[in-house]
Amino acid sequence: TWLHGEDIFIFNVKFAMEVVLNPLFCFISGVLSQGAPTEGRLRRYVQFLVVPTLLVVYLIHPICNVLFMQKPFDKELEKVIQPDFSSSYFYNAVPWYLFALLMWRASVYL
């Protein structure tokens, strides 16, 4: 076929689509389906989305890594104290949909 030998290019395109298009699709669909912001909605956003996401990312996930995957405690503690906010951190460490959901729901307050 005309793409014979282009495995690396196709892999990079697939990777870019997974990292960008899935969260972007969630974000756009959420923006188009939202209502007017209220004080109660802001409180519920923080209470039911921001706080649980922070708990999962910075507390539950590292604890599970130490307990169940036998990763060194000091390395997991270092990740919590000095988090790496590169794209690989968000792609590999935690489910991308948590961050897409937070951005989608936060967009109502823009």
Side-chain angles (χ1 to χ4, degrees):
T1 66
W2 64 278
L3 286 175
H4 180 69
E6 297 295 327
D7 297 338
I8 295 173
F9 174 73
I10 292 175
F11 174 78
N12 288 335
V13 168
K14 181 182 174 283
F15 178 75
M17 289 175 62
E18 288 176 354
V19 172
V20 175
L21 290 182
N22 287 338
L24 185 64
F25 174 75
C26 291
F27 180 75
I28 290 173
S29 65
V31 168
L32 296 176
S33 65
Q34 60 195 7
T38 63
E39 184 179 325
R41 286 181 68 193
L42 179 62
R43 185 177 56 329
R44 287 190 305 273
Y45 169 73
V46 171
Q47 180 181 2
F48 294 119
L49 281 176
V50 174
V51 172
T53 298
L54 293 176
L55 285 175
V56 166
V57 171
Y58 294 110
L59 186 67
I60 296 170
H61 186 73
I63 288 174
C64 289
N65 279 344
V66 169
L67 293 177
F68 302 120
M69 299 179 72
Q70 281 80 36
K71 292 191 175 183
F73 177 76
D74 56 339
K75 296 273 187 189
E76 294 301 312
L77 183 62
E78 183 180 318
K79 287 181 189 176
V80 172
I81 294 172
Q82 295 177 342
D84 173 23
F85 291 118
S86 66
S87 61
S88 64
Y89 174 78
F90 293 106
Y91 184 74
N92 296 324
V94 250
W96 61 266
Y97 53 83
L98 289 176
F99 294 104
L101 180 63
L102 285 176
M103 290 183 62
W104 162 52
R105 294 294 302 271
S107 69
V108 76
Y109 305 107
L110 296 178

